[in-house]
């Protein structure tokens, strides 16, 4: 539960309190999140394997006119497609459960904190305002828990894809690496600007 104290106005302290809340929710739903992560990794692994199988089928089946290879590759692609679909569905199911659990947990903690405020705290932080904000905050935290599964899967799959590309075509791998790094830097910069503007808007409100 939330500490029975008013969250300090200091932005750094407020940020630490928010991350502590998210950490508690992650630990509370860790089993669901682990399932989502494993399913996400399986989903990405199947997606990576399909082009490799296709390349093998083209090189050894179509170009060599070997129908046995084509049949084997076709069967493998069907199995990989079914596995990818199953992992994707299972990941989505657990992501929805994590989203719902995170949203409910956030509302519970915010409402409990609002009820435990003393008279001075109620004047500074009206319980009605806290409960109203609970919907927005709960949805944002729920989304964070929702995306953990496929975010971790993407983080794991990108290095694997880069290694595969480096073996196939080092120039293409270098181009993809540069693009990935630049995109990451741009997204990080945008996120920092968005965070500062959000804090300024909240302080102004």
């Amino acid at each position: 539960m939330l500490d029975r104290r008013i969250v300090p106005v200091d932005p750094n302290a407020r940020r630490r309190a928010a991350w502590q809340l998210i950490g508690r929710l992650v630990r509370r739903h860790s089993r669901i999140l682990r399932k989502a992560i494993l399913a996400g990794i399986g989903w990405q692994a199947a997606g990576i394997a399909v082009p490799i199988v296709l390349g093998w089928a083209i090189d050894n089946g179509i170009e060599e006119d070997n129908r046995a290879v084509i049949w084997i590759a076709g069967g493998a692609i069907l199995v990989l497609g079914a596995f990818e679909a199953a992992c994707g569905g299972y990941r989505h199911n657990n992501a929805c459960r994590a989203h719902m659990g995170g949203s409910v947990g956030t509302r519970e903690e915010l409402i409990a904190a609002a009820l435990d405020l003393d008279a001075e705290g109620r004047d500074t932080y009206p319980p009605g305002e806290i409960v109203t904000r609970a919907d927005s905050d709960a949805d944002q935290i729920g989304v964070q828990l929702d995306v953990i599964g496929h975010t971790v899967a993407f983080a794991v799959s990108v290095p694997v894809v880069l290694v595969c590309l480096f073996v196939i075509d080092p120039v293409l791998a270098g181009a993809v690496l540069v693009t990935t790094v630049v995109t990451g830097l741009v997204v990080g910069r945008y996120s920092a600007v968005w965070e500062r503007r959000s804090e300024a808007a909240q302080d102004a409100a």
Side-chain angles (χ1 to χ4, degrees):
M1 301 297 288
L2 286 173
D3 294 337
R4 299 302 186 250
R5 300 174 298 182
I6 299 173
V7 176
V9 179
D10 176 60
N12 292 327
R14 188 167 54 194
R15 189 179 296 109
R16 285 195 299 270
W19 280 112
Q20 287 170 1
L21 169 61
I22 294 173
R24 288 194 295 274
L25 292 173
V26 168
R27 289 191 294 272
R28 186 184 304 174
H29 302 288
S30 59
R31 184 175 180 182
I32 294 174
L33 293 174
R34 283 196 299 269
K35 292 179 181 178
I37 290 171
L38 290 175
I41 292 174
W43 168 53
Q44 286 293 300
I48 293 171
V50 167
I52 296 174
V53 174
L54 278 173
W56 176 73
I58 293 171
D59 293 340
N60 298 281
I62 297 176
E63 292 187 358
E64 300 294 333
D65 195 22
N66 189 332
R67 293 193 177 186
V69 171
I70 295 175
W71 279 106
I72 293 172
I77 290 172
L78 285 176
V79 172
L80 287 170
F83 180 74
E84 183 177 3
C87 287
Y90 191 61
R91 185 211 62 79
H92 184 68
N93 177 268
N94 284 282
C96 290
R97 292 173 61 193
H99 187 158
M100 183 169 54
S103 298
V104 171
T106 303
R107 288 186 176 90
E108 289 176 346
E109 297 215 9
L110 288 174
I111 292 173
L115 293 174
D116 284 352
L117 289 173
D118 56 18
E120 181 182 357
R122 292 192 188 96
D123 292 337
T124 307
Y125 300 95
E129 181 180 341
I130 294 177
V131 173
T132 301
R133 286 286 305 276
D135 286 337
S136 174
D137 294 341
D139 184 64
Q140 293 298 321
I141 292 176
V143 169
Q144 285 190 338
L145 267 64
D146 184 314
V147 302
I148 286 177
H150 67 257
T151 300
V152 173
F154 287 144
V156 172
S157 64
V158 167
V160 175
V161 171
L162 287 174
V163 170
C164 293
L165 285 176
F166 184 79
V167 173
I168 298 171
D169 189 338
V171 176
L172 178 60
V176 172
L177 178 60
V178 171
T179 303
T180 302
V181 172
V182 171
T183 303
L185 292 175
V186 171
V187 171
R189 177 62 178 170
Y190 172 80
S191 298
V193 172
W194 183 85
E195 182 180 5
R196 288 197 298 270
R197 290 180 178 176
S198 298
E199 290 180 352
Q202 289 181 355
D203 292 338

